[in-house]
Amino acid sequence: MKTRIDMDFVLVFTLVAFSTCSGFYLPGLAPVSFCEDGKGGDDCQTLIQLFVNRLDSVESVLPYEYDVFDFCKDDNERRPSENLGQVLFGERIETSPYKFSFKKDVKCQELCTKVYTKGKSEDKNVLDFLKRGMQLNYQHHWIVDNMPVTWCYDVEDSQKYCNPGFPIGCLVTTDGRAKDACVINSEFNKKNTFYIFNHVAIKITYHNGEGEGWRGARLVAATLEPKSIKNADAEKPTCEGLPMEVPGEFDSDLKITYTYSVTFEENNDIKWASRWDYILVSMPHTNIQWFSIMNSLVIVLFLSGMVAMIMLRTLHKDIARYNQVDQEDAQEESGWKQVHGDVFRPPRKGMLLSVFLGQGTQIFIMTFITLFLACLGFLSPANRGALMTCSVVLWVLLGTPAGYVSSRLYKTFGGEKWKTNVLLTALLCPGIVFADFFLMNLILWVEGSSAAIPFGTLVAILALWFGISVPLTFVGAYFGFKKPAIEQPVRTNQIPRQIPEQSFFTKPVPGIVMGGILPFGCIFIQLFFILNSIWSHQMYYMFGFLFLVFIILLITCSEATILLCYFHLCAEDYHWWWRSFLTSGFTAVYLFVYAVHYFFSKLQIVGAASTILYFGYTSIMVLIFFLFTGTIGFFACFWFVNKIYSVVKVD
């Protein structure tokens, strides 16, 4: 009965957190209609505003704002309000001077001209930064009607790839090797020369609303083709001619004229609701990985079924043998029943274990609700920053379950320092994450990156932590300590039983190391996609598969931990509390090893700052995953041990 009440409390709070998150940031995206000049109104816009976002590179972890590269600026620059997730991810959206009238084609429109004078140190620094951006292949990210402006080009097997970004320019090295986008044009062939893409040919595709029940048209695609063009006359550009060269050595004055062209195309076959499909379909590695993901899931499900069958059959025989009426004939010299008087002996460092479990419960509920919302489509790439915003808000609101679980288990362990317990639950793990995050932010600030969190946002995060999460943790701890300790099915002996000599496989370290292999095996393919989305700036949208992998991870962590726990109890080693947590938690170590492998084999990151940032943020991810998987394994083992010792007869 008590357990049922506890579960009801957690369920009710989860539903409250769910509804709060939904109310906080799930507005949906309303379509916008566009009309020609003279036909507009409140329900139909005539001006199309192009927004620019921060620039990033696969060779550097440091994103930068659009303005620092000295591109053409909007005279009336405005910044739309950004949510917490966008700020944390370093997005810096602002208006640009690219403004178009709907259905009005423009050819070779001058935007601005930048002049760099030889001998002027300020101009030299700006130009050096621009050339550094081209050398590291920094990419523009433009937005029209909340839709990325893509650069579509042909790749292998006549397939078209649409990149939601396009490069600043490219470089031909001193030995004549064309890097990155310079391979697309044979005219990019001068040694030690940069070629800047100073002209863009933009094509906007729209769906006409005639007969659809709404006025005007809706934008369904925006693509561009970047070009490098040197205009002889900046005042009368022709957008034709040789490429715009930026010499590696700044030995003469330089003038760069930025231009653009716009064309409009009607396509009523593309619906507004599916306008992102052409980008997602062409993303790399998506088509070839479906079979691998399904294969992995089938293997994991098969292994899980085998583990479950072995456990059920073996346990059934054990329990039947231990519960024979003639105890003298059935007495065994070894087995898990022999440690019934010690199996619930409180663990050493019980306070730390209870703190980890409280935090792990908070992370587990947060992850479950976030993935559920993502599967419903609320946290799609169109809702910029929604995934991170929802995760942070949920974590803040779920302080109560963390405090409740931590205090209830600490009381069960016989602990009495409840103030220390609740303070550690509220401050220890979040404090480690915040300290790491703050150090990474200092590096970003020193480097002048747009990913550096403003001081006001840091204060807001601290206010959420200390103003909401910590008080809610105290509330949960209050209810947890008011509850009686969890009643164990057997009594604990006063004198600890001696543990016999263990074989190699039943010793703690080998068991813990083996325990993380199976859970990691079911996530490593999805992990590749997740790391790609974080570090290679690719869109992640496979939330359905991710949620399925999440469920399989729960099953494998639980069953692997239960299986190893059973083997250790059969060997009469009753120290299962910490071992159950560390067995599944060791999956995080494999995660870290994979992240190191990914860094050296898949990324081309250069520079000490980017390397430190990569491993700093990876450490946060590993810690969160350690608490998450460890908590799953512990509670599975806790349920298992309580179950088996409650069905055997104990004299």
Side-chain angles (χ1 to χ4, degrees), residues 443-547:
I443 295 173
L444 291 168
W445 178 72
V446 170
E447 295 288 336
S449 171
S450 67
I453 309 301
F455 180 75
T457 305
L458 283 176
V459 172
I461 292 172
L462 288 173
L464 288 172
W465 179 15
F466 288 101
I468 300 177
S469 181
V470 171
L472 287 176
T473 306
F474 274 84
V475 170
Y478 171 77
F479 286 107
F481 274 110
K482 279 191 68 176
K483 290 275 187 181
I486 299 172
E487 190 176 342
Q488 312 295 3
V490 291
R491 292 192 304 272
T492 301
N493 296 334
Q494 291 185 352
I495 301 174
R497 179 187 179 93
Q498 186 175 359
I499 299 174
E501 184 70 24
Q502 299 293 305
S503 66
F504 174 78
F505 292 104
T506 55
K507 288 181 179 179
V509 174
I512 290 170
V513 171
M514 288 188 296
I517 295 175
L518 188 60
F520 178 76
C522 76
I523 66 165
F524 78 96
I525 293 177
Q526 283 296 318
L527 189 60
F528 173 78
F529 289 112
I530 293 170
L531 292 177
N532 265 355
S533 69
I534 296 173
W535 304 112
S536 296
H537 314 295
Q538 296 178 9
M539 292 182 186
Y540 188 89
Y541 62 96
M542 297 182 291
F543 292 110
F545 268 114
L546 184 60
F547 190 74

Side-chain angles (χ1 to χ4, degrees), residues 639-650:
W639 170 84
F640 169 74
V641 173
N642 273 273
K643 197 72 175 175
I644 63 173
Y645 283 100
S646 64
V647 294
V648 294
K649 296 177 182 177
V650 178

Side-chain angles (χ1 to χ4, degrees), residues 2-3 6 354 402-413 421 476-477 479-487:
K2 292 172 184 175
T3 307
D6 295 347
S354 64
Y404 180 84
V405 169
S406 177
S407 59
R408 189 86 195 278
L409 287 171
Y410 182 60
K411 189 173 184 179
T412 302
F413 295 157
N421 172 259
F479 286 107
F481 274 110
K482 279 191 68 176
K483 290 275 187 181
I486 299 172
E487 190 176 342

Side-chain angles (χ1 to χ4, degrees), residues 275-342:
R275 61 181 187 161
W276 285 67
D277 288 1
Y278 81 99
I279 306 172
L280 302 180
V281 166
S282 72
M283 294 297 287
H285 307 298
T286 52
N287 296 326
I288 61 175
Q289 293 294 339
W290 298 119
F291 175 77
S292 299
I293 294 172
M294 292 304 299
N295 186 51
S296 175
L297 294 178
V298 169
I299 291 172
V300 170
L301 285 171
F302 174 75
L303 290 174
S304 299
M306 291 293 293
V307 169
M309 185 177 68
I310 292 169
M311 292 298 300
L312 288 173
R313 292 191 63 180
T314 308
L315 272 173
H316 181 73
K317 291 180 180 178
D318 284 348
I319 293 168
R321 185 169 69 250
Y322 288 142
N323 286 343
Q324 287 180 12
V325 178
D326 190 353
Q327 293 290 327
E328 293 182 1
D329 295 339
Q331 189 169 2
E332 296 283 339
E333 293 182 358
S334 63
W336 53 266
K337 186 187 175 184
Q338 307 306 314
V339 295
H340 67 82
D342 297 274

